[in-house]
Amino acid sequence: MPAVLVQYEAEIWKAIIETFAMVGASIAAAVLIGLPVGTLLFLCRKGKILENQMVFSVLNLVVNIIRSFPFLLLVVFLIPFTRLIIGTAIGTAAATVPLSIIAIAHYSRLVEQSLLDVPKGVMEAAISMGASVKEVIFKFLYVEARSGLVLGLTTSIISFISYSTIMGVVGGGGIGDFAIRYGYQQFKTDLMIYMIIIMVILVQIIQFTGTTVSRLIDKR
Amino acid sequence: MPAVLVQYEAEIWKAIIETFAMVGASIAAAVLIGLPVGTLLFLCRKGKILENQMVFSVLNLVVNIIRSFPFLLLVVFLIPFTRLIIGTAIGTAAATVPLSIIAIAHYSRLVEQSLLDVPKGVMEAAISMGASVKEVIFKFLYVEARSGLVLGLTTSIISFISYSTIMGVVGGGGIGDFAIRYGYQQFKTDLMIYMIIIMVILVQIIQFTGTTVSRLIDKR
Amino acid sequence: GNGTETKENEDTKATPEKEEVTLKVASLIPPMTEILELVKPKLAEEGINLEMVVLGDNVQPNTALAAKEVDANFFQHVPYMEEFNRNNEAELVPIVPIYFANYGVYAKEFESMDELPEGAVIAIANDISNIDRSLALLAQHGVITLQEKTGPYYTKADITENPKNYKFEEVDLLMLARMYDDADAVVMTPAYASPLGLTPKSDALLTEGIENDFAITLIARKDNADWEPIQKLGEVMTSPEVRKFLEENYDETAIPAF
Amino acid sequence: MIKLHKVSKSFSQFQAIKSISLTINKGEIYGIIGTSGAGKSTLLRLMNLLEVPNEGDVEVNGQQLTKLTSKSLRQARQSIGMIFQHFNLVANKTVYDNVAVSLELAKIPKQERKNRVIECLQFVGLEKLLDKYPAELSGGQKQRVAIARALANRPEVLLCDEPTSSLDPNTTAEILGVLENVNKSLGVTIVIVSHEMEVIKSICNRVTVMADGEIHDTVCIEPAGIANISNSPNWFVEQLVKGGE
Amino acid sequence: MIKLHKVSKSFSQFQAIKSISLTINKGEIYGIIGTSGAGKSTLLRLMNLLEVPNEGDVEVNGQQLTKLTSKSLRQARQSIGMIFQHFNLVANKTVYDNVAVSLELAKIPKQERKNRVIECLQFVGLEKLLDKYPAELSGGQKQRVAIARALANRPEVLLCDEPTSSLDPNTTAEILGVLENVNKSLGVTIVIVSHEMEVIKSICNRVTVMADGEIHDTVCIEPAGIANISNSPNWFVEQLVKGGE
Ligand SMILES: Nc1ncnc2c1ncn2[C@@H]1O[C@H](COP(=O)(O)OP(=O)(O)OP(=O)(O)O)[C@@H](O)[C@H]1O
Ligand SMILES: Nc1ncnc2c1ncn2[C@@H]1O[C@H](COP(=O)(O)OP(=O)(O)OP(=O)(O)O)[C@@H](O)[C@H]1O
Ligand SMILES: [Mg+2]
Ligand SMILES: [Mg+2]
C-alpha cells in the first residue's frame, strides 16, 4: 500500500464510514419518504386514481423549492431544523439532514417518472379487480415499474454521494471532503487521487449492482 | 420593488444572464452529447441491436467516473482542459465546461433509463421493417420514449441549475452564487431570499413547462 | 458533542482541574489547524480535552460559535468577526491575536509590480472582507487609489484611480491558488500560497506586513471569554513553542502577533 | 343483474356510445356483436365503470355504480370479473401470480388461494406454465391466463371482451365449455363481446347487435351448444381436407 | 421463395421449434395452423430472423438470411412485410404516421408516400381515422392499421400472424379480399398464421399443421374463396336467427 495511504489510514477509514453514514441515511430517506412522495405526485395527477390538483400542486411546489435552493444555502437554511432533530448542526449526523431532504426531492421525481411509464392497461386491470389504492400501488404499480425504480434509485444514490462531498461545510466529513481538504486545499495530489479512485470504485459498484438487479427483475 | 433589489438591479440582471448562459450551455451539451451517449448505453446493452460489451463498459465507466468526482474537484481537474478550449479557466464561459461535462453524464443516465421502458414490440416492428440503426433511434425509440426524455431533461435542467450555484469558485457567477455571496457571506438576508425566490420561480417554470410538454406529447 | 454538553462544561468551570472538560474549537486549514494540534498535549496536561472541528467554509465556524455548538474558533481576523457580529447580532469577542497572515501579491510571469502590463488580470478573493483587504493592500503600495470608505469595506466601486487599468477577477478563496497559472497576478494569503511553494518573503511582489488589523485571532463569545479553559487556550497558543513553530515552519508567512 | 339506462359516452368530439339502455338478467349468457369500431368494448367497459359515462346510469347487482363511494365501487368490482381484449397482464408477475393477485385482493387465505389458482389454470390448460412470465407465452397462452385470472375469485358477473380471439377452435371450445359450466353450476352472469358468430351462437341466450354506438337489434336465440372438437392435430387436417373436397 | 432448412429454436430449456424444414413457393398463399402454443408465431418470426435460429438455415428470396451482413439483412427485411399478433404499433405516432414510417424507411418520396398511405388505409377502411393515435382505436382498428402498415411498401413476402383475430366476419372478408388481391395482382407471397379454420380454408393453397414445435402434416387445398358478406348490421341478425332455427 502506498505510504501516504498508510499514514492516513485511520482518517481514511473514518472518512469512508462517514460517507456510508451520510449516503445510507439519504437512501433510507429516499426510499421511506421519496418513494411515497413520488407515488403521490403520480397518483394525484390529472386522470389518475387519486386525482387531486391541490395535493399535486403543493407537493410539486415543495419538491421544486427544495430543488431550487443552492445546496449550500439549503444546508444553512435547515440549520435550525437540523439542530432541532439532531441536537447539533455540525458533524456527520447533522449533515444527514439536508442530504436526506435533497434525497427525498431528487428521488421522488424519478419515481414519478418511472410510474408514468407503467402501461395504462395494467392500471385498468387493477381497477377492474377492485384493488384499493394501496393494492394498486404495491401489487401493480411497483411490480410493473420495479426495474425503473431500481435504476432511478441507483442514479439517485450516485447523486447523493456527489452531494455528500459538499457537506464539509458543516463538518460532515466523508471521502469527498477528505479529498477536497487534503488534495485540493493542501495540494496532496496523490492522496486526492487515491480518494477519487475510492469514490470511482464505490460508484462503479453501486451502478453495477443497480444495473444488474434492475435487469434481473425486469421480465417485460 | 424593494429598495435592495433596485440597488443591486444591474448585478442581479447580470447574475440572471450568467445563470442562463451556464444552464443553457449545459442543456445544449446534455441534448447534443448526453442524448447520444445515453442512447449508446442503451443500444450496446446485452440483447439490444448494437450489443457491444466493450463500448458499453467504457461508456459506463466514463459516465461513472464523472459522476464519482466531487464536483468541486471535477472543476479543478478540468482546468487545463477548460483553458484549452475556452482560453481561460475563470469566468462564466469557463464555468460552462465542467457544468456541461456533468450535464452529459447526468442526462445520459436518464436517457438510458427512459429508453429501457420502450416496449419490446416497438423495437421488433422497427427491426422487421428493416430500419437502420439511425432510423430505429429517430423514428421509433425517440418517438416512443419522448415523454420520458422530456421529463428526464426537465429533472436534469433543474439539477444543472443547482450545480451552477457552485460555479462561484471559478468566478462563474449566476443567481445562486449571488445569493451565496451577498446573502450568506455578507449577511444580506433579504437579498438572499429574493434571489431564492427568483430561483424557485425559474425552477417552477421549467418544471411546469416540462410536465406540460411531456403530457401533451404522450399519446400512449 | 452538543449544546447541553457545552452547558455542562460551563457548570464545571469552577473545578476544571478535577474533571476533564472538552473544549471545542472550529478551524479551517493549516497553519491554523496545526497550531491547534500543537497545543493539544499541553492542554491535556491541564485536564482540557481540545476537540478540533474542521469546517469547510468561512461562515459556518462563526455560526457554530454563536450557536454555542463550539466554544471558540480560530480562522479569522477581527474585522471579519466584527462584520459577522454586526449582521447577526452575535457577541463574538477576540481573545488573543496569534499571527499575521502576510497577504501578498504573486505573479508567475513577472518579477515585480512594474513589469505587470497595462490591463493585466489580478485575481482576488470574492468575499467582501477579503476584497477590502486586497484593495487596501494594493492601495497601500500605491498601485490604485481608493476613495474614503463609504461603508465598513472597500469595494471595487471605491477605486478612483487605476492607472494601469488592471482588471480584478473575483474567485472563491479556495480557488485563488489555482488562479496562479491563469491570472497575471493573484492576491492571496500565505496559507494558500505556500502549497505552491511560494512565500511572502521570497516570492511576493507586494506584502502587507504587520501594520494592519488583520491578525488571525482566537475568537470566543462574550459569555465564555473569561472561562478558564478558553483563557488557558489563549495562553498556550501564545507560548514560545508556538512562536518557534511558526518561525521555523512559516517564516514570513505567518508572523507571530504576540 | 346489469341495467344500463340511457348511457352515453364520448371521447372528445366522438360519441362512441349513444344513449344505450339494456337489461341483462341474472344467470344469462349475453352476447354483444357488431363490426369493428361499433362500440362493443366501450359498452362492456361501461358496465364496470372503467369508462365513466357522460350521461346515464349503470346498475349492477342492484347497485347504482355511478352513485357509489369509491370504496363500495371497489367492492362491487371485486364481484365483476373482466377479460380484456388486450389481456392487460402484469408483465412482471408470473402466470401463477397474475391469477393469484385477484384472490389476494379478495383477501382469500393463502392456502386456499393456491388450490384455487391451480384449479383455474387447469381449466385453461396452463397448469404447466405456472412460473413463466407473460413475455414467454404465446398469444393464446396469454389470453388463457387472462381468462383464468377473471374466473379465479368466482365473480358473479363476468365481462368478456373477445375472450377467444387468439385461440384455436379446440381451445375455444374448451374455454366456452368452462364459461358455460361456471354459468350453469355457479349461476354466473356472463357478457361476451365477440366478433366470432360461432362463439356467440354456441352459448348465448340473447344477443345484441351493435352498430355505430347504438343497439341495432337484440335477439333471443337458443344456444347451439359447443361443438365437440377433438384435441389432436389430425382434426385440423381432417377439417382442411373436408373443406378441400 | 422461403426455405427453412432444419431450423430449431429454443427458449432457455424449452425447444419451441424442433428441426423444421419447409419450402414456400413464390406467389403462394401458405397457411400455418395449430393449437395455441404449438410454435406458429415462433416459426413465422424465424422467417424474417426476428428470432435467430439456434440451428439451421433460413433462405428468403434466394438469400441466406442467417449469413447476411446486418446491412443486407436490413434490405432483405424491407421486402418482407410483417403483421404482428399483438400489432406492435408505435403508440406515439398517428395512424397515418404508423403507416407512413415503412415508406420512409424505403425512401419513398414524400408526395408519393402520401397517396400510398391513403390508399392502404382505404384498403382497410380507416381513411377517416388518419389523425388518431393507437390508444384511441378499437382492437380491430388497431389490427387494421398494422395490416395497412405491412402492405404499404409493397413487400414481396407478407408474414401475417393472426391478421384477422380481432376482426368481425365482414371486415375479415374484406381484409382477406385485399390479401388475395395483392397476391394475385402483385404476386406477393403470403404466409398466414391463423387459428381460424375459415380464414385458412378460404384463401390458402397449402397449409401446414403444427403441433408441439413440429410439422404434423402439410396439405394442399383448393382455396374455398371468400364468402360474400353484406356490410350491414342486419347481416348479424340474419346469421343469429338462422342459427337459432
Ligand atoms: N420468449 C419466450 N421465452 C420462453 N418461451 C417462449 C417464448 N416465446 C414463446 N415461448 C413458448 O414457445 C411456445 C410456442 O410459442 P408461439 O408463440 O410460437 O405459439 P403459437 O403457436 O403462436 O401460439 P398461439 O396460437 O397461442 O399464438 C409456447 O409454448 C411458448 O410458451
Ligand atoms: N380513448 C378513445 N379515444 C377516442 N376514441 C376512442 C377511444 N376508445 C375508443 N374510441 C373510438 O370509439 C369507437 C368504439 O370503440 P370500441 O373499442 O368500443 O370498438 P369495438 O366495437 O370494441 O371494436 P373492435 O371489435 O374493433 O374491438 C371506435 O371508433 C374508436 O375509434
Ligand atoms: Mg373491442
Ligand atoms: Mg402466436
Side-chain angles (χ1 to χ4, degrees):
Chain A
M1 204 159 67
V4 63
L5 289 188
V6 177
Q7 184 193 342
Y8 286 96
E9 191 175 346
E11 285 174 67
I12 292 174
W13 277 116
K14 184 161 161 281
I16 290 177
I17 290 166
E18 284 162 348
T19 290
F20 271 83
M22 289 190 287
V23 174
S26 325
I27 296 174
V31 172
L32 297 179
I33 309 181
L35 183 59
V37 169
T39 309
L40 264 184
L41 276 172
F42 168 77
L43 289 177
C44 293
R45 273 185 170 227
K46 197 148 166 282
K48 304 294 178 212
I49 55 173
L50 287 183
E51 178 168 343
N52 189 325
Q53 188 60 43
M54 257 296 286
V55 174
F56 176 82
S57 303
V58 170
L59 280 183
N60 195 43
L61 182 65
V62 170
V63 169
N64 282 348
I65 290 180
I66 294 172
R67 308 244 303 132
S68 312
F69 262 83
F71 188 52
L72 180 64
L73 294 188
L74 185 68
V75 174
V76 175
F77 253 63
L78 287 174
I79 283 179
F81 177 69
T82 305
R83 207 170 275 146
L84 192 76
I85 58 173
I86 304 283
T88 172
I90 50 179
T92 308
T96 61
V97 174
L99 267 179
S100 299
I101 302 261
I102 271 284
I104 293 166
H106 196 273
Y107 189 48
S108 63
R109 280 283 174 233
L110 298 187
V111 168
E112 182 190 16
Q113 190 182 336
S114 275
L115 297 183
L116 279 168
D117 280 331
V118 172
K120 275 191 192 141
V122 170
M123 286 294 273
E124 286 190 349
I127 293 167
S128 82
M129 285 191 238
S132 65
V133 173
K134 202 178 123 199
E135 288 164 335
V136 169
I137 296 171
F138 288 99
K139 294 188 192 293
F140 295 86
L141 272 180
Y142 287 174
V143 173
E144 208 65 346
R146 62 191 185 190
S147 61
L149 293 175
V150 168
L151 269 191
L153 187 60
T154 308
T155 302
S156 295
I157 293 174
I158 294 172
S159 291
F160 303 163
I161 295 183
S162 159
Y163 281 119
S164 79
T165 63
I166 312 179
M167 296 312 299
V169 181
V170 289
I175 316 172
D177 181 50
F178 190 88
I180 292 173
R181 264 170 47 205
Y182 285 88
Y184 172 59
Q185 297 177 353
Q186 297 177 34
F187 291 81
K188 295 207 167 60
T189 311
D190 53 346
L191 194 57
M192 170 165 80
I193 288 173
Y194 290 124
M195 288 309 104
I196 289 174
I197 290 173
I198 293 179
M199 299 273 285
V200 171
I201 292 172
L202 186 64
V203 166
Q204 190 78 355
I205 290 173
I206 290 169
Q207 184 71 47
F208 178 79
T209 311
T211 308
T212 308
V213 169
S214 110
R215 203 182 56 232
L216 289 180
I217 62 178
D218 188 1
K219 305 294 184 182
R220 295 172 300 175
Chain B
M1 205 158 67
V4 63
L5 290 188
V6 177
Q7 184 193 344
Y8 286 96
E9 193 176 342
E11 287 172 64
I12 292 174
W13 277 115
K14 183 161 162 281
I16 291 177
I17 290 166
E18 285 162 349
T19 291
F20 272 83
M22 289 190 287
V23 174
S26 326
I27 295 174
V31 172
L32 297 179
I33 310 181
L35 184 59
V37 170
T39 309
L40 264 184
L41 276 171
F42 168 77
L43 289 176
C44 293
R45 272 183 171 227
K46 199 150 163 279
K48 303 297 177 209
I49 54 172
L50 288 183
E51 178 168 345
N52 188 327
Q53 189 61 43
M54 257 295 286
V55 174
F56 176 81
S57 302
V58 170
L59 280 183
N60 194 42
L61 182 64
V62 170
V63 169
N64 282 348
I65 289 179
I66 295 172
R67 309 243 305 134
S68 311
F69 261 83
F71 187 54
L72 186 61
L73 293 188
L74 185 69
V75 175
V76 175
F77 252 65
L78 287 175
I79 283 178
F81 178 67
T82 304
R83 206 171 278 146
L84 192 75
I85 57 172
I86 304 282
T88 170
I90 47 178
T92 307
T96 61
V97 174
L99 267 181
S100 300
I101 302 261
I102 271 282
I104 293 166
H106 197 272
Y107 188 48
S108 64
R109 280 282 174 234
L110 297 187
V111 168
E112 182 190 17
Q113 190 182 335
S114 274
L115 297 182
L116 280 167
D117 279 331
V118 172
K120 274 191 192 140
V122 170
M123 287 293 274
E124 285 190 348
I127 293 167
S128 81
M129 285 191 240
S132 65
V133 173
K134 203 178 122 198
E135 289 164 334
V136 168
I137 295 171
F138 287 99
K139 294 188 192 293
F140 294 86
L141 272 180
Y142 287 174
V143 173
E144 208 64 346
R146 63 189 184 189
S147 61
L149 293 175
V150 168
L151 268 191
L153 187 59
T154 308
T155 303
S156 295
I157 293 175
I158 294 172
S159 291
F160 304 162
I161 294 182
S162 159
Y163 281 118
S164 79
T165 63
I166 312 178
M167 295 314 298
V169 287
V170 288
I175 316 172
D177 181 50
F178 190 89
I180 292 172
R181 273 170 58 193
Y182 286 87
Y184 174 58
Q185 294 178 351
Q186 294 175 40
F187 313 104
K188 296 206 168 58
T189 311
D190 52 346
L191 195 56
M192 170 163 78
I193 289 174
Y194 290 124
M195 289 308 103
I196 289 174
I197 290 174
I198 293 179
M199 299 273 286
V200 170
I201 292 172
L202 186 63
V203 166
Q204 190 78 356
I205 290 173
I206 291 169
Q207 183 71 47
F208 178 78
T209 311
T211 307
T212 308
V213 169
S214 110
R215 203 183 55 232
L216 289 179
I217 62 180
D218 188 0
K219 304 294 184 181
R220 296 172 300 176
Chain C
N2 56 32
T4 33
E5 207 174 297
T6 313
K7 235 185 217 142
E8 280 166 19
N9 290 346
E10 287 170 41
D11 293 344
T12 55
K13 69 180 163 186
T15 55
E17 282 101 353
K18 302 210 172 94
E19 279 173 62
E20 180 169 289
V21 292
T22 298
L23 188 60
K24 293 176 110 183
V25 183
S27 189
L28 291 184
I29 50 169
M32 306 155 186
T33 50
E34 286 174 357
I35 293 173
L36 290 171
E37 287 291 350
L38 185 74
V39 301
K40 206 171 171 172
K42 270 202 135 187
L43 286 175
E45 285 168 20
E46 311 263 354
I48 298 169
N49 173 24
L50 179 68
E51 190 181 313
M52 188 166 63
V53 179
V54 178
L55 298 174
D57 86 340
N58 45 20
V59 176
Q60 284 308 309
N62 278 342
T63 312
L65 177 59
K68 305 193 178 181
E69 294 210 17
V70 295
D71 305 305
N73 67 38
F74 178 47
F75 76 105
Q76 66 192 324
H77 45 70
V78 172
Y80 187 83
M81 180 205 78
E82 283 169 347
E83 176 69 3
F84 182 86
N85 280 347
R86 206 172 4 257
N87 289 293
N88 294 275
E89 287 165 24
E91 296 192 306
L92 308 187
V93 293
I95 302 298
V96 54
I98 307 297
Y99 68 86
F100 287 100
N102 201 357
Y103 232 64
V105 180
Y106 301 83
K108 193 174 187 180
E109 311 282 339
F110 309 102
E111 295 292 323
S112 76
M113 212 56 201
D114 300 332
E115 288 177 29
L116 211 60
E118 177 96 16
V121 175
I122 301 178
I124 59 177
N126 65 4
D127 62 288
I128 195 152
S129 73
N130 281 307
I131 292 173
D132 168 88
R133 190 172 175 185
S134 307
L135 295 176
L137 165 60
L138 294 171
Q140 179 187 337
H141 293 275
V143 178
I144 54 173
T145 314
L146 296 168
Q147 66 184 21
E148 194 84 353
K149 254 185 202 181
T150 52
Y153 292 114
Y154 290 119
T155 67
K156 283 199 280 185
D158 294 324
I159 301 175
T160 51
E161 276 173 54
N162 181 2
K164 290 181 92 176
N165 275 320
Y166 294 132
K167 285 216 277 297
F168 298 97
E169 195 68 73
E170 296 174 10
V171 301
D172 192 83
L173 204 52
L174 300 176
M175 201 62 200
L176 279 173
R178 309 281 164 179
M179 288 300 115
Y180 186 59
D181 293 336
D182 223 293
D184 297 305
V186 181
V187 186
M188 61 184 158
T189 64
Y192 293 107
S194 73
L196 296 171
L198 303 175
T199 63
K201 190 177 185 177
S202 50
D203 302 293
L205 311 186
L206 306 171
T207 61
E208 71 186 351
I210 56 173
E211 301 299 305
N212 58 57
D213 311 329
F214 299 120
I216 302 296
T217 304
L218 177 67
I219 307 281
R221 283 186 311 273
K222 198 175 175 191
D223 65 357
N224 72 358
D226 300 327
W227 184 35
E228 211 174 314
I230 297 273
Q231 291 298 330
K232 275 264 158 55
L233 177 62
E235 272 170 38
V236 294
M237 283 174 78
T238 49
S239 63
E241 282 93 338
V242 174
R243 178 186 297 277
K244 188 158 159 264
F245 170 81
L246 288 177
E247 281 168 358
E248 276 172 11
N249 296 285
Y250 291 94
D251 179 28
E252 284 264 338
T253 304
I255 306 162
F258 49 86
Chain D
M1 195 67 176
I2 303 179
K3 274 200 196 119
L4 301 189
H5 183 68
K6 294 204 178 146
V7 170
S8 296
K9 176 71 195 178
S10 298
F11 297 108
S12 52
Q13 327 299 21
F14 183 78
Q15 198 170 3
I17 297 293
K18 299 169 185 161
S19 190
I20 283 187
S21 300
L22 63 75
T23 305
I24 298 171
N25 302 318
K26 194 167 165 59
E28 257 190 320
I29 300 189
Y30 194 96
I32 299 176
I33 199 162
T35 51
S36 169
K40 307 182 293 294
S41 298
T42 308
L43 187 64
L44 198 74
R45 290 157 58 86
L46 281 163
M47 292 180 187
N48 64 356
L49 237 58
L50 262 189
E51 303 285 356
V52 181
N54 300 107
E55 279 170 45
D57 297 319
V58 178
E59 186 186 318
V60 176
N61 216 347
Q63 290 178 301
Q64 289 266 351
L65 296 193
T66 28
K67 301 211 171 108
L68 291 182
T69 63
S70 65
K71 194 173 172 200
S72 327
L73 180 59
R74 279 207 306 275
Q75 253 144 19
R77 277 175 175 154
Q78 292 197 351
S79 59
I80 310 177
M82 183 155 199
I83 302 167
F84 290 87
Q85 188 165 10
H86 302 296
F87 321 149
N88 293 352
L89 300 178
V90 182
N92 277 336
K93 280 188 196 282
T94 60
V95 167
Y96 182 93
D97 289 333
N98 262 289
V99 178
V101 72
S102 79
L103 299 172
E104 287 171 30
L105 300 189
K107 309 274 180 287
I108 311 270
K110 193 150 187 181
Q111 197 44 48
E112 210 174 309
R113 227 186 283 165
K114 187 167 177 191
N115 298 335
R116 184 81 191 129
V117 172
I118 307 274
E119 188 187 353
C120 286
L121 286 176
Q122 277 165 347
F123 281 159
V124 297
L126 290 182
E127 65 277 15
K128 290 205 187 110
L129 301 182
L130 281 189
D131 294 330
K132 293 230 178 184
Y133 287 91
E136 301 167 329
L137 299 180
S138 78
Q141 287 164 345
K142 279 183 207 158
Q143 187 157 43
R144 285 183 277 159
V145 176
I147 294 168
R149 179 174 73 177
L151 289 174
N153 72 339
R154 304 185 209 266
E156 293 174 50
V157 177
L158 197 56
L159 307 176
C160 316
D161 199 351
E162 312 268 8
T164 58
S165 63
S166 307
L167 301 177
D168 59 280
N170 306 318
T171 317
T172 298
E174 277 169 31
I175 295 293
L176 293 181
V178 172
L179 293 184
E180 200 167 45
N181 185 28
V182 297
N183 170 261
K184 291 256 161 64
S185 59
L186 304 170
V188 176
T189 308
I190 298 180
V191 186
I192 297 188
V193 168
S194 180
H195 63 270
E196 286 174 285
M197 208 34 108
E198 298 292 305
V199 169
I200 296 285
K201 272 156 77 168
S202 60
I203 61 167
C204 295
N205 311 99
R206 269 204 304 160
V207 184
T208 281
V209 178
M210 283 192 72
D212 287 332
E214 292 181 303
I215 294 187
H216 175 77
D217 204 351
T218 299
V219 287
C220 293
I221 58 172
E222 188 61 38
I226 299 157
N228 210 337
I229 299 178
S230 129
N231 203 5
S232 85
N234 266 327
W235 178 87
F236 285 103
V237 179
E238 277 160 31
Q239 290 290 312
L240 287 167
V241 175
K242 191 177 77 184
E245 271 159 17
Chain E
M1 193 66 176
I2 303 178
K3 275 199 196 125
L4 301 188
H5 183 67
K6 294 205 179 146
V7 169
S8 296
K9 175 72 193 177
S10 298
F11 297 109
S12 51
Q13 326 300 21
F14 181 78
Q15 197 170 1
I17 298 293
K18 298 170 187 160
S19 190
I20 282 187
S21 301
L22 62 77
T23 303
I24 298 172
N25 303 319
K26 193 166 165 57
E28 256 190 320
I29 301 188
Y30 195 95
I32 300 176
I33 200 163
T35 52
S36 170
K40 305 182 294 295
S41 298
T42 309
L43 187 65
L44 198 73
R45 290 157 58 85
L46 282 163
M47 293 181 187
N48 65 356
L49 236 60
L50 264 188
E51 303 285 356
V52 182
N54 300 109
E55 278 171 42
D57 297 319
V58 178
E59 187 187 316
V60 176
N61 215 347
Q63 290 179 301
Q64 288 266 351
L65 296 192
T66 28
K67 300 209 173 110
L68 291 182
T69 62
S70 66
K71 194 174 171 198
S72 328
L73 179 58
R74 276 207 307 275
Q75 252 144 21
R77 276 176 175 154
Q78 291 198 351
S79 58
I80 309 177
M82 182 156 201
I83 303 167
F84 290 88
Q85 188 165 12
H86 301 296
F87 322 148
N88 293 352
L89 300 180
V90 182
N92 277 337
K93 280 189 196 282
T94 60
V95 167
Y96 181 94
D97 289 334
N98 262 289
V99 177
V101 72
S102 78
L103 298 172
E104 287 171 30
L105 300 189
K107 310 273 181 287
I108 311 270
K110 194 152 186 181
Q111 196 43 47
E112 210 173 310
R113 227 188 281 164
K114 189 168 173 190
N115 298 334
R116 184 81 190 128
V117 172
I118 308 272
E119 187 188 356
C120 287
L121 286 175
Q122 276 166 349
F123 282 160
V124 298
L126 289 182
E127 65 278 14
K128 291 205 187 109
L129 301 183
L130 282 188
D131 294 330
K132 294 229 178 186
Y133 287 90
E136 302 167 328
L137 300 179
S138 78
Q141 288 164 344
K142 279 183 207 157
Q143 187 156 41
R144 286 183 276 158
V145 177
I147 294 169
R149 179 173 73 177
L151 289 174
N153 72 339
R154 305 184 206 266
E156 294 174 50
V157 177
L158 197 55
L159 307 176
C160 316
D161 198 351
E162 313 267 8
T164 58
S165 62
S166 308
L167 301 178
D168 58 280
N170 307 318
T171 317
T172 299
E174 278 168 31
I175 295 293
L176 293 180
V178 172
L179 293 183
E180 200 167 47
N181 186 29
V182 298
N183 171 259
K184 291 256 160 67
S185 59
L186 305 169
V188 177
T189 310
I190 299 180
V191 187
I192 298 188
V193 168
S194 180
H195 63 272
E196 285 173 286
M197 206 35 106
E198 298 293 304
V199 170
I200 295 285
K201 271 158 75 169
S202 59
I203 60 166
C204 294
N205 311 99
R206 269 203 305 161
V207 183
T208 281
V209 177
M210 284 193 69
D212 287 333
E214 292 181 305
I215 293 186
H216 175 77
D217 204 350
T218 299
V219 288
C220 292
I221 59 171
E222 188 59 40
I226 300 155
N228 209 336
I229 298 179
S230 131
N231 202 7
S232 85
N234 267 326
W235 179 86
F236 286 102
V237 180
E238 278 160 31
Q239 291 290 310
L240 288 166
V241 176
K242 191 177 77 186
E245 273 159 16

